[in-house]
Amino acid sequence: MINDVHEPLEQYSFHFKNAHASNTSDFFEDLVRQSGVDENANITTVQELRVLEKQAASAGSSNKWWRILRGASIVAALLAALYIYAYHAWPWLMVPAIALAVAIHTLNRIINDSDAQLKRLQEACDEKRAVAWGQMVPLNRLYDWDIVAKLMQQTVPRIAFDPYFSNGRMEELRNSFGWYGNLGEDHSIEFSHSGVLNGNPFILARTLSHSMGSKIYHGSLAISWTEQYRNSQGKSETRTRHETLRASIERPMPEYENQTFIVYGNEAAPDLVFSRHPSKLSRLEDGFLDKWRKNRAIKKLEEKSRDVDEGHTFTVMANREFDALFDATDRNHEVQFRLLFTPLAQQEMLKLLKDSQTGFGDTFVFEKTRMINVLESGHMRATDISGAPEKFFAYELAQARMFFNAYHNDFFKSFYFGIAPLLAIPLYQQHRPHSDIYKDTYSHKPCFWEHEAIANYHGEAMFKHPECVTRSILKTSMQQETDGSQKVQVTASGFRSVARTHYVSVRGGDGRSHQVPVHWDEYFEVENSANMLVKETASPGNTAADDVALPQAFSQRGIDAERTVLRRSIVSAVLTG
């Protein structure tokens, strides 16, 4: 077993990658054994389904071409009728009419037979697919929200996940590390994991963020005018000129994007503040020009280090390459920076920054504000961090196996290299507080981040304003707590749009100015609120609300099981009225 991870790149290559792939594969095969799914029977069913699907596709293609032929026959008959009407006596019109009638009668019969055959094949496909789904039901029921955490902890024991993000974990980050967790009204938590890394708390979160951007709208106006000119014989003639005038305007427009980041609390270097962003220098090779660019960056650091004016405290490191590539020149405490980035830490960080084969290279923003570290890696934007059970539902065991293994191996790699800059710092693995974060009932309840994630799991459509035409940012606030349940108000903020027209004066080729219309949308903020009932259960790992007895607080409000969602040991429902 590997304990502390001081060489994250090498240890991933030589141990963690293969270990996690093996753990993931073994876990899935255990699920298959527990489910009792007959793999051979499923293979046979899916093979029969594929044959039927191929037959249905062939029948659908034939049906399409018969319909095209019928349409072509009608067009050909009409063209023939027009020709006969123009050049022959009208009685000859009977010829294309009779021919069309015979063709349409024959084609209709063929198409009707084809429709019936296609319908039979599609119904046979649906029936066979239903059989396959039925065979996989026992396995699909075994997927739960905890699988991501179980596999991660099995591979890297230093990482432990919480069942959900609780008030206790939030209080620890607030009281012990000075982090308050309020991201602002323009950010909504779509999903978050919390836990400990080497005994210190971390959060892995995905948010939906809103900002006001802009959009360029285009408009056009066709104009024409007549003008006099002299032809080649010198005579005066009139001609009509045409021109399309174009105009554009820029107007505000709401924009939305997802961000995935890691928050990590650690007491080491408690006064240190710095930030760094991905550097182009990390991608340089050892060629002449690349070395020249690095040397130029190093000389700039040395010049900055020699600047001893008031307020300038930067001192360049002995390892000039590290200082140039990591580029945390805004640091406020040189002693603590060097305490954190020892020669070993510098060496391992450089490996991560320059790596282009094993991991993702220099894709991360790293900000440290005293005891809070925030990492946002570009490679994690495309990573689904939820591990939602329904993602793994499948009717084909072979496909389920392939997707399960691929998903968890991709998640592990993405998360591992998301935290790798932290693993590269040995001092972070020496500070392991033992806070008692679960002191009372309040500590066990989901915090407001988890509330936002639950609301987003229900979906924006459940809360959005009726006139909203954009995404909605969901924010929550606690209303009351009774019978162990939490009543939470969810406020959805979005925008409605009003069509506008702006006229831009454009000079045309006729020498006159014309008002070119440009149609654009003006956005106005709208809000809508609804209440949501939330209660944690004593049975984590279930995947459907009907697997858990409906809490009394829900039944008293007339909420039935069909309206509830069980997610990560938390039952929730959107209240109506």
Side-chain angles (χ1 to χ4, degrees):
M1 176 188 296
I2 291 180
N3 293 319
D4 291 348
V5 182
H6 296 306
E7 299 175 334
L9 194 64
E10 285 83 354
Q11 285 173 286
Y12 176 83
S13 298
F14 297 113
H15 176 73
F16 289 129
K17 180 179 179 180
N18 292 333
H20 194 74
S22 177
N23 293 337
T24 300
S25 178
D26 291 344
F27 191 95
F28 183 82
E29 299 310 322
D30 285 341
L31 289 180
V32 173
R33 282 190 288 272
Q34 292 175 41
S35 70
V37 170
D38 188 333
E39 183 166 5
N40 292 328
N42 183 254
I43 290 173
T44 300
T45 301
V46 172
Q47 287 176 342
E48 293 171 352
L49 173 60
R50 297 291 178 255
V51 172
L52 290 171
E53 287 176 339
K54 186 176 181 180
Q55 292 174 351
S58 178
S61 178
S62 298
N63 183 273
K64 175 184 174 181
W65 284 110
W66 283 120
R67 290 177 182 275
I68 292 174
L69 181 59
R70 182 173 63 182
S73 299
I74 294 173
V75 172
L78 289 174
L79 292 175
L82 290 173
Y83 177 82
I84 292 171
Y85 181 77
Y87 297 102
H88 300 281
W90 68 266
W92 285 99
L93 290 174
M94 297 299 294
V95 175
I98 294 172
L100 177 62
V102 173
I104 293 299
H105 175 74
T106 302
L107 289 172
N108 279 344
R109 180 172 53 80
I110 294 173
I111 290 172
N112 288 337
D113 291 342
S114 177
D115 285 342
Q117 173 67 4
L118 180 59
K119 184 179 179 180
R120 286 193 296 271
L121 287 170
Q122 289 174 339
E123 289 175 348
C125 286
D126 291 340
E127 292 174 1
K128 190 63 68 174
R129 193 175 292 109
V131 172
W133 276 113
Q135 292 172 336
M136 290 288 288
V137 164
L139 176 60
N140 291 335
R141 284 177 175 169
L142 293 179
Y143 298 123
D144 63 54
W145 293 93
D146 299 332
I147 293 177
V148 162
K150 291 175 182 175
L151 288 173
M152 182 65 71
Q153 290 172 216
Q154 184 179 359
T155 304
V156 188
R158 290 297 186 189
I159 300 174
F161 285 78
D162 298 327
Y164 51 82
F165 195 177
S166 67
N167 282 321
R169 186 65 72 194
M170 182 67 78
E171 287 297 313
E172 180 190 24
L173 284 162
R174 178 181 293 119
N175 297 331
S176 300
F177 300 94
W179 187 73
Y180 292 92
N182 192 347
L183 301 181
E185 295 301 311
D186 292 329
H187 304 270
S188 181
I189 308 299
E190 288 196 333
F191 198 91
S192 67
H193 292 283
S194 66
V196 291
L197 169 62
N198 292 304
N200 291 278
F202 76 86
I203 305 165
L204 167 63
R206 182 173 179 83
T207 63
L208 177 66
S209 302
H210 158 257
S211 62
M212 286 303 296
S214 62
K215 178 180 178 180
I216 297 177
Y217 296 86
H218 301 276
S220 62
L221 177 67
I223 64 172
S224 63
W225 67 94
T226 58
E227 61 181 17
Q228 298 290 329
Y229 75 101
R230 292 189 178 278
N231 60 22
S232 59
Q233 285 78 36
K235 295 181 180 181
S236 178
E237 292 187 1
T238 300
R239 65 184 174 189
T240 301
R241 298 288 298 273
H242 300 273
E243 183 181 9
T244 300
L245 304 180
R246 304 185 185 279
S248 61
I249 59 174
E250 186 174 3
R251 290 292 184 269
M253 179 180 180
E255 295 179 344
Y256 298 85
E257 69 170 346
N258 288 113
Q259 294 176 299
T260 302
F261 57 89
I262 295 167
V263 179
Y264 176 65
N266 195 296
E267 296 170 350
D271 305 310
L272 178 60
V273 176
F274 71 78
S275 64
R276 65 90 52 191
H277 293 78
S279 170
K280 293 181 180 179
L281 296 176
S282 301
R283 297 193 294 269
L284 299 181
E285 303 292 339
D286 293 327
F288 175 77
L289 288 177
D290 288 348
K291 287 183 178 179
W292 177 78
R293 292 189 184 102
K294 287 183 181 179
N295 289 333
R296 187 174 62 172
I298 291 171
K299 288 180 180 179
K300 288 182 178 180
L301 291 179
E302 292 173 341
E303 291 174 2
K304 183 180 178 69
S305 181
R306 288 193 292 268
D307 186 353
V308 294
D309 290 346
E310 185 178 353
H312 294 177
T313 61
F314 173 78
T315 303
V316 69
M317 305 277 280
N319 187 336
R320 302 293 202 263
E321 184 181 22
F322 166 78
D323 232 346
L325 270 61
F326 195 69
D327 196 26
T329 58
D330 62 351
R331 55 189 183 252
N332 70 330
H333 201 300
E334 288 294 332
V335 173
Q336 290 191 7
F337 188 81
R338 283 161 169 73
L339 184 66
L340 207 62
F341 291 98
T342 61
L344 175 60
Q346 295 176 40
Q347 171 187 307
E348 295 305 315
M349 192 68 73
L350 274 175
K351 290 178 182 177
L352 291 174
L353 295 173
K354 297 166 70 173
D355 168 57
S356 60
Q357 302 295 325
T358 305
F360 301 94
D362 188 359
T363 67
F364 62 91
V365 176
F366 190 165
E367 296 181 355
K368 177 174 168 62
T369 306
R370 296 176 177 84
M371 290 185 283
I372 290 295
N373 303 262
V374 179
L375 291 110
E376 183 178 355
S377 298
H379 73 264
M380 293 201 73
R381 291 177 185 171
T383 302
D384 172 22
I385 69 170
S386 70
E390 59 267 22
K391 295 182 180 296
F392 306 100
F393 293 172
Y395 64 80
E396 181 181 2
L397 182 55
Q399 188 274 333
R401 177 183 286 112
M402 181 173 62
F403 179 78
F404 184 92
N405 283 279
Y407 175 91
H408 288 285
N409 287 324
D410 289 345
F411 175 89
F412 177 79
K413 180 179 179 180
S414 181
F415 180 55
Y416 180 89
F417 282 101
I419 63 172
L422 302 173
L423 299 176
I425 302 173
L427 189 60
Y428 274 170
Q429 300 182 57
Q430 297 169 12
H431 281 263
R432 293 169 183 162
H434 300 282
S435 303
D436 182 11
I437 65 172
Y438 301 114
K439 298 176 181 178
D440 50 33
T441 302
Y442 170 79
S443 297
H444 288 280
K445 294 186 181 301
C447 69
F448 70 94
W449 273 44
E450 197 67 43
H451 292 158
E452 286 184 19
I454 293 169
N456 278 297
Y457 187 71
H458 278 282
E460 296 173 28
M462 298 292 291
F463 307 98
K464 69 185 296 184
H465 191 281
E467 297 180 11
C468 180
V469 297
T470 65
R471 299 290 304 272
S472 291
I473 296 294
L474 305 185
K475 303 299 292 184
T476 62
S477 61
M478 179 71 70
Q479 296 298 298
Q480 65 183 40
E481 290 191 55
T482 56
D483 301 326
S485 64
Q486 298 171 307
K487 186 179 180 182
V488 178
Q489 184 182 60
V490 182
T491 301
S493 300
F495 292 84
R496 65 181 178 90
S497 66
V498 177
R500 307 289 194 196
T501 301
H502 182 78
Y503 292 91
V504 180
S505 180
V506 179
R507 190 174 183 84
D510 58 356
R512 299 166 54 196
S513 293
H514 300 266
Q515 298 299 310
V516 179
V518 181
H519 303 291
W520 62 285
D521 296 314
E522 185 173 7
Y523 291 89
F524 299 90
E525 189 169 0
V526 291
E527 284 189 356
N528 188 54
S529 295
N531 290 324
M532 181 175 67
L533 198 62
V534 175
K535 189 179 189 305
E536 66 275 19
T537 72
S539 50
N542 291 323
T543 60
D546 55 7
D547 292 333
V548 177
L550 195 64
Q552 186 177 2
F554 285 65
S555 57
Q556 287 176 343
R557 289 176 169 83
I559 302 172
D560 56 30
E562 292 182 356
R563 288 174 50 197
T564 63
V565 168
L566 178 62
R567 173 189 174 276
R568 303 181 75 189
S569 312
I570 301 171
V571 179
S572 62
V574 179
L575 302 179
T576 58

